mmCIF file of all heavy atoms in Angstrom:
data_model
loop_
_atom_site.group_PDB
_atom_site.id
_atom_site.type_symbol
_atom_site.label_atom_id
_atom_site.label_comp_id
_atom_site.label_asym_id
_atom_site.label_seq_id
_atom_site.Cartn_x
_atom_site.Cartn_y
_atom_site.Cartn_z
ATOM 1 N N ILE Y 12 9.533 -10.762 1.664
ATOM 2 C CA ILE Y 12 8.771 -11.867 2.258
ATOM 3 C C ILE Y 12 9.083 -13.166 1.520
ATOM 4 O O ILE Y 12 9.351 -14.193 2.127
ATOM 5 C CB ILE Y 12 7.261 -11.558 2.232
ATOM 6 C CG1 ILE Y 12 6.953 -10.324 3.097
ATOM 7 C CG2 ILE Y 12 6.467 -12.762 2.731
ATOM 8 C CD1 ILE Y 12 5.513 -9.852 3.025
ATOM 9 N N GLY Y 13 9.041 -13.112 0.203
ATOM 10 C CA GLY Y 13 9.541 -14.210 -0.623
ATOM 11 C C GLY Y 13 8.598 -15.353 -0.908
ATOM 12 O O GLY Y 13 8.472 -15.795 -2.035
ATOM 13 N N SER Y 14 7.928 -15.884 0.121
ATOM 14 C CA SER Y 14 7.047 -17.036 -0.056
ATOM 15 C C SER Y 14 5.893 -16.977 0.933
ATOM 16 O O SER Y 14 5.981 -16.320 1.979
ATOM 17 C CB SER Y 14 7.820 -18.343 0.103
ATOM 18 O OG SER Y 14 8.384 -18.439 1.394
ATOM 19 N N VAL Y 15 4.827 -17.701 0.601
ATOM 20 C CA VAL Y 15 3.612 -17.660 1.408
ATOM 21 C C VAL Y 15 3.870 -18.146 2.836
ATOM 22 O O VAL Y 15 3.308 -17.614 3.802
ATOM 23 C CB VAL Y 15 2.506 -18.505 0.738
ATOM 24 C CG1 VAL Y 15 1.293 -18.631 1.662
ATOM 25 C CG2 VAL Y 15 2.090 -17.881 -0.595
ATOM 26 N N ASP Y 16 4.722 -19.136 2.999
ATOM 27 C CA ASP Y 16 4.961 -19.702 4.324
ATOM 28 C C ASP Y 16 5.667 -18.730 5.268
ATOM 29 O O ASP Y 16 5.678 -18.932 6.484
ATOM 30 C CB ASP Y 16 5.755 -21.011 4.207
ATOM 31 C CG ASP Y 16 7.134 -20.791 3.585
ATOM 32 O OD1 ASP Y 16 7.198 -20.263 2.449
ATOM 33 O OD2 ASP Y 16 8.140 -21.163 4.205
ATOM 34 N N ARG Y 17 6.257 -17.652 4.719
ATOM 35 C CA ARG Y 17 6.926 -16.651 5.553
ATOM 36 C C ARG Y 17 6.002 -15.504 5.970
ATOM 37 O O ARG Y 17 6.371 -14.651 6.764
ATOM 38 C CB ARG Y 17 8.140 -16.087 4.800
ATOM 39 C CG ARG Y 17 9.320 -17.043 4.753
ATOM 40 C CD ARG Y 17 10.378 -16.598 3.742
ATOM 41 N NE ARG Y 17 10.822 -15.224 3.905
ATOM 42 C CZ ARG Y 17 11.754 -14.805 4.752
ATOM 43 N NH1 ARG Y 17 12.348 -15.713 5.542
ATOM 44 N NH2 ARG Y 17 12.096 -13.542 4.833
ATOM 45 N N ILE Y 18 4.782 -15.475 5.427
ATOM 46 C CA ILE Y 18 3.849 -14.378 5.700
ATOM 47 C C ILE Y 18 3.505 -14.249 7.182
ATOM 48 O O ILE Y 18 3.521 -13.132 7.721
ATOM 49 C CB ILE Y 18 2.567 -14.530 4.841
ATOM 50 C CG1 ILE Y 18 2.892 -14.246 3.376
ATOM 51 C CG2 ILE Y 18 1.467 -13.581 5.335
ATOM 52 C CD1 ILE Y 18 1.704 -14.425 2.443
ATOM 53 N N PRO Y 19 3.178 -15.351 7.895
ATOM 54 C CA PRO Y 19 2.833 -15.196 9.323
ATOM 55 C C PRO Y 19 3.896 -14.459 10.120
ATOM 56 O O PRO Y 19 3.567 -13.669 11.026
ATOM 57 C CB PRO Y 19 2.668 -16.648 9.796
ATOM 58 C CG PRO Y 19 2.274 -17.402 8.556
ATOM 59 C CD PRO Y 19 3.023 -16.756 7.451
ATOM 60 N N HIS Y 20 5.157 -14.711 9.816
ATOM 61 C CA HIS Y 20 6.252 -14.025 10.517
ATOM 62 C C HIS Y 20 6.179 -12.513 10.310
ATOM 63 O O HIS Y 20 6.310 -11.731 11.265
ATOM 64 C CB HIS Y 20 7.598 -14.577 10.039
ATOM 65 C CG HIS Y 20 8.782 -13.766 10.501
ATOM 66 N ND1 HIS Y 20 9.195 -13.723 11.829
ATOM 67 C CD2 HIS Y 20 9.636 -12.949 9.801
ATOM 68 C CE1 HIS Y 20 10.247 -12.927 11.933
ATOM 69 N NE2 HIS Y 20 10.538 -12.450 10.710
ATOM 70 N N PHE Y 21 5.956 -12.090 9.063
ATOM 71 C CA PHE Y 21 5.934 -10.664 8.770
ATOM 72 C C PHE Y 21 4.639 -10.001 9.266
ATOM 73 O O PHE Y 21 4.643 -8.837 9.667
ATOM 74 C CB PHE Y 21 6.110 -10.434 7.265
ATOM 75 C CG PHE Y 21 7.528 -10.635 6.800
ATOM 76 C CD1 PHE Y 21 7.965 -11.878 6.366
ATOM 77 C CD2 PHE Y 21 8.432 -9.585 6.825
ATOM 78 C CE1 PHE Y 21 9.277 -12.073 5.961
ATOM 79 C CE2 PHE Y 21 9.746 -9.769 6.405
ATOM 80 C CZ PHE Y 21 10.168 -11.016 5.982
ATOM 81 N N VAL Y 22 3.534 -10.720 9.238
ATOM 82 C CA VAL Y 22 2.290 -10.187 9.790
ATOM 83 C C VAL Y 22 2.440 -9.970 11.289
ATOM 84 O O VAL Y 22 1.989 -8.950 11.836
ATOM 85 C CB VAL Y 22 1.109 -11.131 9.480
ATOM 86 C CG1 VAL Y 22 -0.130 -10.715 10.274
ATOM 87 C CG2 VAL Y 22 0.793 -11.119 7.989
ATOM 88 N N ALA Y 23 3.096 -10.921 11.965
ATOM 89 C CA ALA Y 23 3.344 -10.781 13.405
ATOM 90 C C ALA Y 23 4.223 -9.568 13.683
ATOM 91 O O ALA Y 23 3.994 -8.826 14.655
ATOM 92 C CB ALA Y 23 3.996 -12.052 13.947
ATOM 93 N N ARG Y 24 5.214 -9.350 12.841
ATOM 94 C CA ARG Y 24 6.070 -8.171 12.993
ATOM 95 C C ARG Y 24 5.275 -6.880 12.804
ATOM 96 O O ARG Y 24 5.468 -5.893 13.525
ATOM 97 C CB ARG Y 24 7.226 -8.222 11.997
ATOM 98 C CG ARG Y 24 8.277 -9.271 12.277
ATOM 99 C CD ARG Y 24 9.435 -9.152 11.291
ATOM 100 N NE ARG Y 24 10.085 -7.848 11.423
ATOM 101 C CZ ARG Y 24 11.016 -7.391 10.573
ATOM 102 N NH1 ARG Y 24 11.390 -8.139 9.530
ATOM 103 N NH2 ARG Y 24 11.558 -6.196 10.761
ATOM 104 N N ALA Y 25 4.373 -6.891 11.827
ATOM 105 C CA ALA Y 25 3.558 -5.707 11.560
ATOM 106 C C ALA Y 25 2.655 -5.369 12.741
ATOM 107 O O ALA Y 25 2.352 -4.201 13.001
ATOM 108 C CB ALA Y 25 2.726 -5.921 10.296
ATOM 109 N N LYS Y 26 2.209 -6.392 13.459
ATOM 110 C CA LYS Y 26 1.330 -6.192 14.615
ATOM 111 C C LYS Y 26 2.092 -5.786 15.877
ATOM 112 O O LYS Y 26 1.490 -5.293 16.837
ATOM 113 C CB LYS Y 26 0.532 -7.467 14.894
ATOM 114 C CG LYS Y 26 -0.466 -7.838 13.798
ATOM 115 C CD LYS Y 26 -1.198 -9.128 14.133
ATOM 116 C CE LYS Y 26 -2.208 -9.493 13.063
ATOM 117 N NZ LYS Y 26 -2.936 -10.749 13.375
ATOM 118 N N ASP Y 27 3.414 -6.003 15.876
ATOM 119 C CA ASP Y 27 4.256 -5.708 17.038
ATOM 120 C C ASP Y 27 4.584 -4.214 17.078
ATOM 121 O O ASP Y 27 5.265 -3.693 16.210
ATOM 122 C CB ASP Y 27 5.539 -6.534 16.964
ATOM 123 C CG ASP Y 27 6.413 -6.388 18.207
ATOM 124 O OD1 ASP Y 27 6.097 -5.542 19.088
ATOM 125 O OD2 ASP Y 27 7.422 -7.112 18.308
ATOM 126 N N LYS Y 28 4.086 -3.520 18.088
ATOM 127 C CA LYS Y 28 4.306 -2.083 18.213
ATOM 128 C C LYS Y 28 5.772 -1.723 18.363
ATOM 129 O O LYS Y 28 6.185 -0.603 18.026
ATOM 130 C CB LYS Y 28 3.524 -1.532 19.407
ATOM 131 C CG LYS Y 28 2.012 -1.617 19.267
ATOM 132 C CD LYS Y 28 1.330 -1.042 20.490
ATOM 133 C CE LYS Y 28 -0.185 -1.110 20.358
ATOM 134 N NZ LYS Y 28 -0.877 -0.564 21.572
ATOM 135 N N ASN Y 29 6.562 -2.640 18.868
ATOM 136 C CA ASN Y 29 7.979 -2.375 19.098
ATOM 137 C C ASN Y 29 8.865 -2.713 17.896
ATOM 138 O O ASN Y 29 10.075 -2.513 17.944
ATOM 139 C CB ASN Y 29 8.457 -3.152 20.320
ATOM 140 C CG ASN Y 29 7.726 -2.747 21.590
ATOM 141 O OD1 ASN Y 29 7.512 -1.553 21.837
ATOM 142 N ND2 ASN Y 29 7.342 -3.727 22.411
ATOM 143 N N ASP Y 30 8.255 -3.234 16.843
ATOM 144 C CA ASP Y 30 9.005 -3.594 15.634
ATOM 145 C C ASP Y 30 8.790 -2.494 14.595
ATOM 146 O O ASP Y 30 7.652 -2.168 14.256
ATOM 147 C CB ASP Y 30 8.524 -4.949 15.090
ATOM 148 C CG ASP Y 30 9.459 -5.526 14.033
ATOM 149 O OD1 ASP Y 30 9.969 -4.745 13.204
ATOM 150 O OD2 ASP Y 30 9.665 -6.755 14.016
ATOM 151 N N PRO Y 31 9.856 -1.917 14.048
ATOM 152 C CA PRO Y 31 9.706 -0.820 13.078
ATOM 153 C C PRO Y 31 9.145 -1.271 11.719
ATOM 154 O O PRO Y 31 8.772 -0.436 10.903
ATOM 155 C CB PRO Y 31 11.135 -0.293 12.922
ATOM 156 C CG PRO Y 31 12.011 -1.466 13.263
ATOM 157 C CD PRO Y 31 11.272 -2.221 14.337
ATOM 158 N N PHE Y 32 9.075 -2.588 11.492
ATOM 159 C CA PHE Y 32 8.589 -3.093 10.214
ATOM 160 C C PHE Y 32 7.125 -2.717 9.981
ATOM 161 O O PHE Y 32 6.290 -2.811 10.876
ATOM 162 C CB PHE Y 32 8.728 -4.617 10.150
ATOM 163 C CG PHE Y 32 8.127 -5.234 8.910
ATOM 164 C CD1 PHE Y 32 8.808 -5.189 7.711
ATOM 165 C CD2 PHE Y 32 6.881 -5.846 8.941
ATOM 166 C CE1 PHE Y 32 8.262 -5.738 6.564
ATOM 167 C CE2 PHE Y 32 6.336 -6.402 7.808
ATOM 168 C CZ PHE Y 32 7.026 -6.347 6.614
ATOM 169 N N ARG Y 33 6.819 -2.265 8.773
ATOM 170 C CA ARG Y 33 5.464 -1.926 8.376
ATOM 171 C C ARG Y 33 5.143 -2.581 7.039
ATOM 172 O O ARG Y 33 6.001 -2.632 6.160
ATOM 173 C CB ARG Y 33 5.283 -0.408 8.267
ATOM 174 C CG ARG Y 33 5.419 0.327 9.611
ATOM 175 C CD ARG Y 33 4.262 0.011 10.541
ATOM 176 N NE ARG Y 33 4.372 0.703 11.822
ATOM 177 C CZ ARG Y 33 4.942 0.194 12.910
ATOM 178 N NH1 ARG Y 33 5.458 -1.039 12.855
ATOM 179 N NH2 ARG Y 33 4.984 0.885 14.031
ATOM 180 N N LEU Y 34 3.939 -3.070 6.917
ATOM 181 C CA LEU Y 34 3.502 -3.639 5.651
ATOM 182 C C LEU Y 34 3.206 -2.518 4.666
ATOM 183 O O LEU Y 34 2.296 -1.705 4.883
ATOM 184 C CB LEU Y 34 2.253 -4.503 5.849
ATOM 185 C CG LEU Y 34 2.454 -5.876 6.514
ATOM 186 C CD1 LEU Y 34 1.105 -6.519 6.794
ATOM 187 C CD2 LEU Y 34 3.304 -6.786 5.641
ATOM 188 N N MET Y 35 3.975 -2.422 3.596
ATOM 189 C CA MET Y 35 3.763 -1.412 2.567
ATOM 190 C C MET Y 35 2.566 -1.796 1.706
ATOM 191 O O MET Y 35 2.338 -2.969 1.406
ATOM 192 C CB MET Y 35 5.010 -1.268 1.694
ATOM 193 C CG MET Y 35 6.281 -0.915 2.451
ATOM 194 S SD MET Y 35 6.160 0.681 3.292
ATOM 195 C CE MET Y 35 6.010 1.810 1.899
ATOM 196 N N GLY Y 36 1.801 -0.778 1.296
ATOM 197 C CA GLY Y 36 0.649 -1.038 0.442
ATOM 198 C C GLY Y 36 -0.640 -1.257 1.209
ATOM 199 O O GLY Y 36 -1.656 -1.632 0.604
ATOM 200 N N PHE Y 37 -0.613 -1.038 2.534
ATOM 201 C CA PHE Y 37 -1.798 -1.225 3.354
ATOM 202 C C PHE Y 37 -2.064 0.053 4.155
ATOM 203 O O PHE Y 37 -1.152 0.621 4.767
ATOM 204 C CB PHE Y 37 -1.635 -2.407 4.303
ATOM 205 C CG PHE Y 37 -1.536 -3.723 3.580
ATOM 206 C CD1 PHE Y 37 -0.313 -4.164 3.094
ATOM 207 C CD2 PHE Y 37 -2.653 -4.498 3.372
ATOM 208 C CE1 PHE Y 37 -0.216 -5.373 2.409
ATOM 209 C CE2 PHE Y 37 -2.557 -5.711 2.695
ATOM 210 C CZ PHE Y 37 -1.343 -6.138 2.211
ATOM 211 N N GLY Y 38 -3.331 0.469 4.147
ATOM 212 C CA GLY Y 38 -3.671 1.734 4.779
ATOM 213 C C GLY Y 38 -3.214 2.904 3.928
ATOM 214 O O GLY Y 38 -2.545 2.747 2.898
ATOM 215 N N HIS Y 39 -3.603 4.106 4.340
ATOM 216 C CA HIS Y 39 -3.249 5.305 3.584
ATOM 217 C C HIS Y 39 -3.265 6.508 4.516
ATOM 218 O O HIS Y 39 -4.104 6.594 5.426
ATOM 219 C CB HIS Y 39 -4.238 5.521 2.424
ATOM 220 C CG HIS Y 39 -3.760 6.476 1.390
ATOM 221 N ND1 HIS Y 39 -3.881 7.847 1.538
ATOM 222 C CD2 HIS Y 39 -3.166 6.283 0.190
ATOM 223 C CE1 HIS Y 39 -3.360 8.441 0.471
ATOM 224 N NE2 HIS Y 39 -2.928 7.528 -0.362
ATOM 225 N N ARG Y 40 -2.332 7.420 4.291
ATOM 226 C CA ARG Y 40 -2.217 8.600 5.131
ATOM 227 C C ARG Y 40 -3.480 9.454 5.086
ATOM 228 O O ARG Y 40 -3.879 10.046 6.086
ATOM 229 C CB ARG Y 40 -1.011 9.431 4.677
ATOM 230 C CG ARG Y 40 -0.769 10.673 5.509
ATOM 231 C CD ARG Y 40 0.426 11.433 4.967
ATOM 232 N NE ARG Y 40 0.707 12.630 5.748
ATOM 233 C CZ ARG Y 40 1.640 13.512 5.441
ATOM 234 N NH1 ARG Y 40 2.383 13.321 4.369
ATOM 235 N NH2 ARG Y 40 1.841 14.570 6.198
ATOM 236 N N VAL Y 41 -4.119 9.512 3.914
ATOM 237 C CA VAL Y 41 -5.301 10.359 3.735
ATOM 238 C C VAL Y 41 -6.584 9.589 4.026
ATOM 239 O O VAL Y 41 -7.469 10.054 4.738
ATOM 240 C CB VAL Y 41 -5.342 10.945 2.306
ATOM 241 C CG1 VAL Y 41 -6.660 11.703 2.080
ATOM 242 C CG2 VAL Y 41 -4.149 11.875 2.086
ATOM 243 N N TYR Y 42 -6.690 8.380 3.455
ATOM 244 C CA TYR Y 42 -7.919 7.603 3.586
ATOM 245 C C TYR Y 42 -7.914 6.823 4.887
ATOM 246 O O TYR Y 42 -7.122 5.886 5.059
ATOM 247 C CB TYR Y 42 -8.086 6.663 2.397
ATOM 248 C CG TYR Y 42 -8.182 7.390 1.081
ATOM 249 C CD1 TYR Y 42 -7.130 7.355 0.171
ATOM 250 C CD2 TYR Y 42 -9.314 8.128 0.753
ATOM 251 C CE1 TYR Y 42 -7.200 8.033 -1.021
ATOM 252 C CE2 TYR Y 42 -9.391 8.813 -0.445
ATOM 253 C CZ TYR Y 42 -8.332 8.769 -1.322
ATOM 254 O OH TYR Y 42 -8.403 9.452 -2.503
ATOM 255 N N ARG Y 43 -8.816 7.189 5.797
ATOM 256 C CA ARG Y 43 -8.941 6.485 7.065
ATOM 257 C C ARG Y 43 -9.886 5.303 6.927
ATOM 258 O O ARG Y 43 -10.077 4.548 7.858
ATOM 259 C CB ARG Y 43 -9.447 7.447 8.149
ATOM 260 C CG ARG Y 43 -8.565 8.677 8.344
ATOM 261 C CD ARG Y 43 -7.130 8.307 8.620
ATOM 262 N NE ARG Y 43 -6.275 9.466 8.772
ATOM 263 C CZ ARG Y 43 -4.949 9.431 8.863
ATOM 264 N NH1 ARG Y 43 -4.326 8.270 8.805
ATOM 265 N NH2 ARG Y 43 -4.239 10.544 8.984
ATOM 266 N N ASN Y 44 -10.477 5.182 5.767
ATOM 267 C CA ASN Y 44 -11.307 4.047 5.434
ATOM 268 C C ASN Y 44 -10.695 3.393 4.192
ATOM 269 O O ASN Y 44 -9.519 3.534 3.943
ATOM 270 C CB ASN Y 44 -12.752 4.507 5.168
ATOM 271 C CG ASN Y 44 -13.769 3.442 5.545
ATOM 272 O OD1 ASN Y 44 -13.616 2.283 5.212
ATOM 273 N ND2 ASN Y 44 -14.806 3.859 6.262
ATOM 274 N N TYR Y 45 -11.476 2.707 3.412
ATOM 275 C CA TYR Y 45 -10.965 2.056 2.216
ATOM 276 C C TYR Y 45 -10.608 3.096 1.159
ATOM 277 O O TYR Y 45 -11.364 4.033 0.910
ATOM 278 C CB TYR Y 45 -12.028 1.095 1.667
ATOM 279 C CG TYR Y 45 -11.448 -0.086 0.907
ATOM 280 C CD1 TYR Y 45 -11.111 -1.257 1.562
ATOM 281 C CD2 TYR Y 45 -11.228 -0.024 -0.452
ATOM 282 C CE1 TYR Y 45 -10.580 -2.336 0.877
ATOM 283 C CE2 TYR Y 45 -10.706 -1.099 -1.146
ATOM 284 C CZ TYR Y 45 -10.385 -2.260 -0.485
ATOM 285 O OH TYR Y 45 -9.848 -3.326 -1.178
ATOM 286 N N ASP Y 46 -9.452 2.932 0.540
ATOM 287 C CA ASP Y 46 -9.023 3.787 -0.562
ATOM 288 C C ASP Y 46 -9.976 3.544 -1.737
ATOM 289 O O ASP Y 46 -10.038 2.427 -2.261
ATOM 290 C CB ASP Y 46 -7.579 3.431 -0.941
ATOM 291 C CG ASP Y 46 -6.993 4.311 -2.047
ATOM 292 O OD1 ASP Y 46 -7.756 4.979 -2.762
ATOM 293 O OD2 ASP Y 46 -5.752 4.308 -2.195
ATOM 294 N N PRO Y 47 -10.748 4.559 -2.184
ATOM 295 C CA PRO Y 47 -11.727 4.325 -3.254
ATOM 296 C C PRO Y 47 -11.081 3.872 -4.559
ATOM 297 O O PRO Y 47 -11.709 3.200 -5.364
ATOM 298 C CB PRO Y 47 -12.420 5.684 -3.412
ATOM 299 C CG PRO Y 47 -11.426 6.677 -2.891
ATOM 300 C CD PRO Y 47 -10.722 5.972 -1.771
ATOM 301 N N ARG Y 48 -9.828 4.242 -4.774
ATOM 302 C CA ARG Y 48 -9.109 3.804 -5.965
ATOM 303 C C ARG Y 48 -8.782 2.319 -5.896
ATOM 304 O O ARG Y 48 -8.733 1.628 -6.927
ATOM 305 C CB ARG Y 48 -7.828 4.622 -6.132
ATOM 306 C CG ARG Y 48 -8.061 6.116 -6.251
ATOM 307 C CD ARG Y 48 -6.759 6.892 -6.129
ATOM 308 N NE ARG Y 48 -6.123 6.661 -4.834
ATOM 309 C CZ ARG Y 48 -4.907 7.099 -4.500
ATOM 310 N NH1 ARG Y 48 -4.209 7.807 -5.369
ATOM 311 N NH2 ARG Y 48 -4.419 6.843 -3.298
ATOM 312 N N ALA Y 49 -8.558 1.818 -4.676
ATOM 313 C CA ALA Y 49 -8.212 0.410 -4.500
ATOM 314 C C ALA Y 49 -9.383 -0.501 -4.857
ATOM 315 O O ALA Y 49 -9.175 -1.623 -5.312
ATOM 316 C CB ALA Y 49 -7.753 0.151 -3.065
ATOM 317 N N VAL Y 50 -10.619 -0.031 -4.636
ATOM 318 C CA VAL Y 50 -11.798 -0.817 -4.983
ATOM 319 C C VAL Y 50 -11.788 -1.126 -6.476
ATOM 320 O O VAL Y 50 -12.020 -2.260 -6.902
ATOM 321 C CB VAL Y 50 -13.089 -0.070 -4.595
ATOM 322 C CG1 VAL Y 50 -14.315 -0.885 -4.998
ATOM 323 C CG2 VAL Y 50 -13.115 0.233 -3.101
ATOM 324 N N VAL Y 51 -11.520 -0.092 -7.284
ATOM 325 C CA VAL Y 51 -11.452 -0.255 -8.735
ATOM 326 C C VAL Y 51 -10.236 -1.093 -9.115
ATOM 327 O O VAL Y 51 -10.310 -2.003 -9.937
ATOM 328 C CB VAL Y 51 -11.391 1.121 -9.436
ATOM 329 C CG1 VAL Y 51 -11.292 0.949 -10.942
ATOM 330 C CG2 VAL Y 51 -12.582 1.980 -9.057
ATOM 331 N N MET Y 52 -9.105 -0.795 -8.516
ATOM 332 C CA MET Y 52 -7.857 -1.447 -8.877
ATOM 333 C C MET Y 52 -7.869 -2.943 -8.537
ATOM 334 O O MET Y 52 -7.241 -3.742 -9.230
ATOM 335 C CB MET Y 52 -6.689 -0.760 -8.185
ATOM 336 C CG MET Y 52 -5.321 -1.124 -8.763
ATOM 337 S SD MET Y 52 -5.112 -0.522 -10.439
ATOM 338 C CE MET Y 52 -4.560 1.130 -10.129
ATOM 339 N N ARG Y 53 -8.577 -3.311 -7.480
ATOM 340 C CA ARG Y 53 -8.639 -4.720 -7.097
ATOM 341 C C ARG Y 53 -9.266 -5.559 -8.203
ATOM 342 O O ARG Y 53 -8.730 -6.594 -8.598
ATOM 343 C CB ARG Y 53 -9.420 -4.897 -5.795
ATOM 344 C CG ARG Y 53 -9.502 -6.341 -5.311
ATOM 345 C CD ARG Y 53 -10.242 -6.436 -3.971
ATOM 346 N NE ARG Y 53 -10.153 -7.784 -3.434
ATOM 347 C CZ ARG Y 53 -11.026 -8.753 -3.698
ATOM 348 N NH1 ARG Y 53 -12.058 -8.506 -4.484
ATOM 349 N NH2 ARG Y 53 -10.855 -9.963 -3.175
ATOM 350 N N ASP Y 54 -10.404 -5.095 -8.719
ATOM 351 C CA ASP Y 54 -11.067 -5.819 -9.802
ATOM 352 C C ASP Y 54 -10.184 -5.870 -11.043
ATOM 353 O O ASP Y 54 -10.104 -6.893 -11.729
ATOM 354 C CB ASP Y 54 -12.408 -5.164 -10.137
ATOM 355 C CG ASP Y 54 -13.419 -5.291 -9.007
ATOM 356 O OD1 ASP Y 54 -13.254 -6.196 -8.158
ATOM 357 O OD2 ASP Y 54 -14.379 -4.495 -8.975
ATOM 358 N N THR Y 55 -9.521 -4.764 -11.337
ATOM 359 C CA THR Y 55 -8.626 -4.707 -12.493
ATOM 360 C C THR Y 55 -7.467 -5.669 -12.317
ATOM 361 O O THR Y 55 -7.064 -6.358 -13.255
ATOM 362 C CB THR Y 55 -8.099 -3.272 -12.679
ATOM 363 O OG1 THR Y 55 -9.195 -2.368 -12.791
ATOM 364 C CG2 THR Y 55 -7.239 -3.168 -13.926
ATOM 365 N N CYS Y 56 -6.924 -5.719 -11.109
ATOM 366 C CA CYS Y 56 -5.803 -6.608 -10.806
ATOM 367 C C CYS Y 56 -6.160 -8.060 -11.081
ATOM 368 O O CYS Y 56 -5.426 -8.792 -11.753
ATOM 369 C CB CYS Y 56 -5.374 -6.420 -9.351
ATOM 370 S SG CYS Y 56 -4.049 -7.521 -8.800
ATOM 371 N N HIS Y 57 -7.316 -8.487 -10.575
ATOM 372 C CA HIS Y 57 -7.723 -9.876 -10.752
ATOM 373 C C HIS Y 57 -8.047 -10.177 -12.219
ATOM 374 O O HIS Y 57 -7.810 -11.286 -12.696
ATOM 375 C CB HIS Y 57 -8.903 -10.196 -9.840
ATOM 376 C CG HIS Y 57 -8.521 -10.314 -8.396
ATOM 377 N ND1 HIS Y 57 -8.054 -11.474 -7.846
ATOM 378 C CD2 HIS Y 57 -8.490 -9.402 -7.395
ATOM 379 C CE1 HIS Y 57 -7.778 -11.282 -6.554
ATOM 380 N NE2 HIS Y 57 -8.039 -10.025 -6.255
ATOM 381 N N ALA Y 58 -8.564 -9.184 -12.960
ATOM 382 C CA ALA Y 58 -8.835 -9.364 -14.386
ATOM 383 C C ALA Y 58 -7.537 -9.580 -15.163
ATOM 384 O O ALA Y 58 -7.467 -10.419 -16.072
ATOM 385 C CB ALA Y 58 -9.587 -8.159 -14.940
#
């Protein structure tokens, strides 16, 4: 992605069912809701 100004392009691709591009790091095969580990990791990340 490289820079913030390029994000809309990649988000649009992620929303396009016909585009094979997927945003890595979002959603989880097991967790159909929020990943409970991500809740902890988010606070740690910002710290």
Side-chain angles (χ1 to χ4, degrees):
I12 297 174
S14 61
V15 172
D16 62 303
R17 285 167 52 83
I18 289 178
H20 169 70
F21 285 91
V22 169
R24 289 185 62 189
K26 294 179 179 180
D27 186 353
K28 295 180 180 179
N29 299 317
D30 193 321
F32 175 79
R33 295 291 180 267
L34 286 173
M35 303 298 295
F37 294 85
H39 196 278
R40 182 181 181 184
V41 174
Y42 299 108
R43 303 305 178 188
N44 211 314
Y45 208 89
D46 183 343
R48 301 168 299 173
V50 178
V51 179
M52 195 66 85
R53 181 177 188 271
D54 293 339
T55 304
C56 177
H57 287 274

